[in-house]
Amino acid sequence: MNAAGEAPSGPPSRRPFARNATAALWERLRAVLPDSATVRSVRRAPARDLLAGVTVAVVALPLALGFGISSGMGTEAGLATAIIAGVLAAVFGGSDFQVSGPTGAMTVVLVPVVHARGVDGVLMAGLMAGVILVGLGLGRVGGLARLVPMPVVVGFTVGIAAVIALQQVPAALGVPTPEGEKVVTVAARALARFADEPRWTSVAVSAAVAVVVLLGARLRPSVPMSLPAVALATVAVELIHVDGVARVGALPSGLQAPSWGFLDPGMVPELLPAAAAIAALAGLESLLSATVADEMRASSDPGRGSNGAGGWRRHDPDRELFGQGVANLAVPLFGGMPATAAIARTAVNVRSGAASRLSAVIHAVVIAAVVAAAAGLVRYIPLAALAGVLVATAIRMVETDAVRALARAGRGELAVMVLTGAVTLVVDLVVAVAVGLALAGALALRQVAGTARVEHLPFDDDRRPHGPGSGPGSGPAPVTVLRIDGPLSFTAAHRLLPTLEHVHDDSVVLIRMSRVSAVDATGAAALSVALTDLEARGVVPLLSGVRPEHHQTLGAYGITAESGDRRRMFPDAPSALAYARALIPAQPHGPS
C-alpha cells in the first residue's frame, strides 16, 4: 500500500521479477567491483610498488608515444591512454600486477578504422568496445579465454610482432608514411620511396636504438633501456645538428578536457564490427597477459600461496574484463585510443617487484608528471628513435622457446601457428583467431576420431578379440560381439557401418557400448541406420551398457529398449549374452 492507501500499480507478477533482476545485477556488480582485500593489498608494500611503477613508466612512455603515432591518432592519444587506462584498469581490473595502456596489437585493429572513419570513428568504436567489455565481465565470459589453444596464441603473437615491425618501416627509413590500410603494402611503398631518396641518418638512429634496447634486455634485463636509448639518440641528433630527421613535435602539457564531441549514434551500425574486434582483442590480450603475470609471480615466489593468504591472488577474469571495459569507456572522452593490458609492461612490473595494483597507478601518475613537466623536451624526440624501440619490442614479443616447442610438437600445431600468424599479417587479428580456432578444432576432432574404434570380441570367451567367422565349430559364429570404444560421433560414425555389413544374416549381433565416451546426433543416426539394416536382414541386434547420459540422444533416433520387435537394450554384457544364448537354437546357423 502507498501513502494514499492504494495498492501499487503494475502487474503484481512483474514486481518480484524486477526486484530479483535488480538484486542479481547488484550482486554481479559487487562481484566485479574492488573489494576490501583489494584495498588492503595496496598497503602491503608501497615502497616496492613505487619502484616498480617508476620503472614501468620509463618503459611505457616511449611506447605510448610510438603506438599513438603508429595508430594514426597521434602522440596525445597514446599518452592519454597510458594515463587514463593505466589508472582505471588497475583500480577496477582483476589482476594485482596488470599494466594497461596502448599496445601494438591494438594499433593493428585501429589503423583501418582511422583510414575509414577518422579519429572520431576510433573514439566511438572504443566507447562501444567498452560497453561490450563491461557486458562480458558481468556475463561471466572471462573464463572462456582459457579455451584458446596455445598454437593460436603463439601464432597471433608472432603475427602481431610482424605487423608492429612493419608499421615502423616508414619512420625507421625517414620517409613519410604512404597511404594504405595493409601494413605489408605500406612498408613496400616506404621501401620504394627510400630507394629513390635514401635517408641513412634515420636508419642509423633507429638501428642504434633497437640494438641498445635488445642488448640491454639481454645483458641487464632488470634495467629498462628504452627511455635512456631514446634520450641518448635525441641528444646525439641535436648535438650533431642532423637535418631531415622527423621529430615528435609539440605536445600538450596535460590531458584534454573530457568531451562527448565524437559521439554519433548514426555510426553505431557501421562501427559495430570494429568495436567487436577491439573488444575481442582487448579481452583476449588482457586475460592472456594476466595469466602470464600470475605464472611469473608464482615462479618468483613459489613458497607462498596465491589465494590471498600468501599475500597475492590470481587474477579474476570477469573482473579483468569489467576493468578493461571501464577504462575503454573513459579513455575516448580524453581523446585516447582503445586500451588493453600490455604483456611487456606487465612483465616489467612483475620483475620489478610489484606487490599490488598500486604500481600500475603510480606508472600512470609518473607518465602524467613527465608530460606536464617535460612536454617541451619530448617534442625533440626523433620518430626514428621511437621506431627503434618498437622494432625491439616486436622482436622481444616472439617467444622462440614456444615456437620451437610447437614445431617439435607436431605438424598440426605448427600449421595452426603459421596460419594464424599469416592471417594476422595479411588480413586482421579477429579473422586470424577465428581461422586458428577453426583449424585447431578440426585437428582436435581428427585426433578424437582416431581414438574411436570398433572391436570384434569372441562369443564363447569374452577376453580375446577375434574377427567374425572365427568362432568355435565349422560354421560362422552364431553371435557376433562388437565393442565400440571412444566417441560415437560424426568423426567416427563412418567406421561403424562397414563393420556391421560383415555380420551374416539370420544371426545375433551384440553391440557393447559401455566404453562409448560420447554420442552425438550423427553417431546416433548412423547407429539407427545400421540397426534397421540388420533387422531387415533377419539379424537380431542387441545393445548393452548404454550410459544414462546417452539415452536422450539415442532415443531421439528411435534407439530405445522398446523400439522394434527384435531390438533389445540391456544394462550390461552378461544379461545381453544370456539373452543371445537363448536365441541361438532358433537361428539357422546356430549349433545343432
Side-chain angles (χ1 to χ4, degrees), residues 292-314:
V292 171
D294 287 345
E295 298 306 320
M296 291 181 62
R297 186 67 178 85
S299 63
S300 64
D301 195 5
R304 307 182 72 181
S306 60
N307 58 357
W312 66 281
R313 299 178 297 176
R314 289 189 178 272

Side-chain angles (χ1 to χ4, degrees), residues 97-359:
F97 314 108
Q98 194 93 278
V99 179
S100 298
T103 65
M106 190 60 72
T107 64
V108 178
V109 179
L110 299 184
V111 170
V113 183
V114 173
H115 279 280
R117 298 296 301 183
V119 173
D120 285 351
V122 174
L123 300 179
M124 186 68 187
L127 184 71
M128 294 165 60
V131 174
I132 295 173
L133 287 167
V134 168
L136 293 176
L138 295 176
R140 297 186 175 94
V141 182
L144 296 179
R146 299 186 180 99
L147 302 179
V148 180
M150 182 58 67
V152 177
V153 175
V154 176
F156 88 72
T157 302
V158 172
I160 290 170
V163 171
I164 294 173
L166 290 175
Q167 283 178 338
Q168 311 316 311
V169 170
L173 298 179
V175 301
T177 302
E179 292 293 327
E181 294 185 8
K182 299 301 181 183
V183 66
V184 177
T185 303
V186 172
R189 292 174 179 172
L191 285 170
R193 290 189 181 183
F194 179 80
D196 294 335
E197 188 179 352
R199 301 182 180 183
W200 294 107
T201 303
S202 295
V203 175
V205 170
S206 180
V209 170
V211 169
V212 169
V213 173
L214 291 174
L215 286 178
R218 178 175 291 274
L219 300 177
R220 293 292 182 91
S222 61
V223 179
M225 295 300 297
S226 56
L227 190 58
V230 170
L232 289 174
T234 303
V235 171
V237 169
E238 289 299 316
L239 290 178
I240 300 174
H241 300 291
V242 178
D243 296 327
V245 177
R247 310 299 209 278
V248 168
L251 287 178
S253 58
L255 296 175
Q256 71 172 41
S259 172
W260 291 94
F262 64 89
L263 195 62
D264 183 1
M267 288 196 298
V268 170
E270 180 183 350
L271 291 175
L272 189 57
I278 292 170
L281 176 60
L284 183 61
E285 188 171 13
S286 297
L287 294 176
L288 291 175
S289 176
T291 302
V292 171
D294 287 345
E295 298 306 320
M296 291 181 62
R297 186 67 178 85
S299 63
S300 64
D301 195 5
R304 307 182 72 181
S306 60
N307 58 357
W312 66 281
R313 299 178 297 176
R314 289 189 178 272
H315 78 281
D316 183 327
D318 295 326
R319 283 184 62 185
E320 184 59 31
L321 291 180
F322 180 81
Q324 294 297 331
V326 171
N328 280 287
L329 285 174
V331 162
L333 304 181
F334 297 89
M337 57 190 285
T340 179
I343 295 178
R345 275 159 274 179
T346 299
V348 171
N349 191 39
V350 176
R351 293 194 190 104
S352 300
S356 74
R357 60 191 68 209
L358 179 60
S359 62

Side-chain angles (χ1 to χ4, degrees), residues 2 4 24 56 58 60 109 185 241 288 308 354-355 357 381 391 409 464 468 519 521 534 549:
N2 56 21
V56 176
V58 172
V109 179
T185 303
H241 300 291
L288 291 175
R357 60 191 68 209
I381 295 176
V391 168
R464 300 187 315 273
V519 178
L534 290 172
E549 61 266 26

